[in-house]
Amino acid sequence: MEKLYDLWAKRNPKWEKKFETPIIEEFANYRYGSGASAERRAKVYGGGYEIFIIAFFIGLYSKQTRALNENPDKVTDFGQPIQYWGNVGNRGNRKEYSKLREYMFAALIARTDIDFLALDKGEITPKKAVDILISKMEEYANYGFYVLNDLQEETPDYFFQNDAFFKVINRIVSPKTTDTNEEIVPPPLD
């Protein structure tokens, strides 16, 4: 029997087409390849899936999800299964990030409601379990895309800072508390 990770890695998560132009094409070499060509076109990321990963972590660290549009004409995918995300072959000094895929999978296992005893007993199929994992992954990323899109609309040049994406994630994972410990208040984006 194939491992759950391998089944998950063969999948190609979906995202809302509305983010293609303002986010994916703006920051990644979506449909043009990756590598050194990204620098020549002044893109932050190579493959479109790289900005999907950022959006996923924004949703994950925020502990927020947002369902994809139910209209199948309004969603798409990158045409590249997760198992190939970050594989670099002979592309200069780029690093492969297979561990990142493993961490994403582990986070999904931890944050997704799957009855693993039922899976082990055969009461639910591995395909059904992977469907649940992919759905959660898409929902985290979709939330992250909305966050990125809102920031892009509010401050159009915000992401032209070298550390802009880091600041977005850092604001989520390192919130400051008020003196009275009432609520967690994220620091403002600079």
Side-chain angles (χ1 to χ4, degrees):
M1 181 199 281
E2 210 166 8
K3 294 180 182 177
L4 199 60
Y5 175 84
D6 295 332
L7 292 170
W8 170 80
K10 289 180 180 178
R11 297 289 293 276
N12 196 347
K14 297 188 179 319
W15 47 274
E16 291 188 14
K17 288 180 181 178
K18 71 187 268 175
F19 299 119
E20 185 170 342
T21 300
I23 302 298
I24 296 170
E25 288 180 354
E26 181 72 18
F27 302 113
N29 278 325
Y30 179 55
R31 291 189 268 200
Y32 297 106
S34 59
S37 61
E39 293 171 11
R40 285 195 296 269
R41 285 194 282 279
K43 301 293 182 173
V44 177
Y45 297 103
Y49 59 82
E50 292 177 353
I51 196 71
F52 182 97
I53 292 169
I54 296 294
F56 166 78
F57 279 109
I58 290 170
L60 178 75
Y61 292 148
S62 298
K63 298 179 184 168
Q64 298 290 324
T65 60
R66 185 170 180 152
L68 288 176
N69 191 312
E70 291 183 16
N71 182 341
D73 295 332
K74 303 231 181 217
V75 296
T76 190
D77 60 48
F78 294 112
Q80 186 173 27
I82 297 164
Q83 67 188 355
Y84 300 119
W85 290 8
N87 290 347
V88 295
N90 294 324
R91 292 192 214 153
N93 62 355
R94 291 189 65 198
K95 304 280 187 215
E96 181 175 324
Y97 46 86
S98 57
K99 287 291 182 197
L100 181 61
R101 293 189 308 262
E102 292 172 14
Y103 297 145
M104 292 172 71
F105 179 76
L108 286 167
I109 291 292
R111 294 265 182 95
T112 305
D113 189 24
I114 296 175
D115 185 344
F116 287 100
L117 290 176
L119 177 64
D120 189 48
K121 293 177 184 177
E123 295 170 1
I124 64 170
T125 65
K127 182 192 179 312
K128 178 64 177 165
V130 170
D131 288 347
I132 295 167
L133 292 170
I134 290 293
S135 178
K136 181 64 89 171
M137 182 180 191
E138 292 168 341
E139 290 173 357
Y140 277 136
N142 199 40
Y143 176 82
F145 277 127
Y146 274 90
V147 169
L148 293 173
N149 194 60
D150 288 350
L151 278 170
Q152 180 75 338
E153 287 177 356
E154 290 169 13
T155 313
D157 60 345
Y158 177 79
F159 289 104
F160 292 112
Q161 302 172 56
N162 287 337
D163 59 351
F165 289 96
F166 171 75
K167 283 181 180 178
V168 172
I169 291 177
N170 190 49
R171 181 184 77 172
I172 296 164
V173 298
S174 300
K176 304 242 191 271
T177 57
T178 62
D179 291 336
T180 60
N181 285 332
E182 293 171 3
E183 71 175 289
I184 295 174
V185 179
L189 294 172
D190 299 341

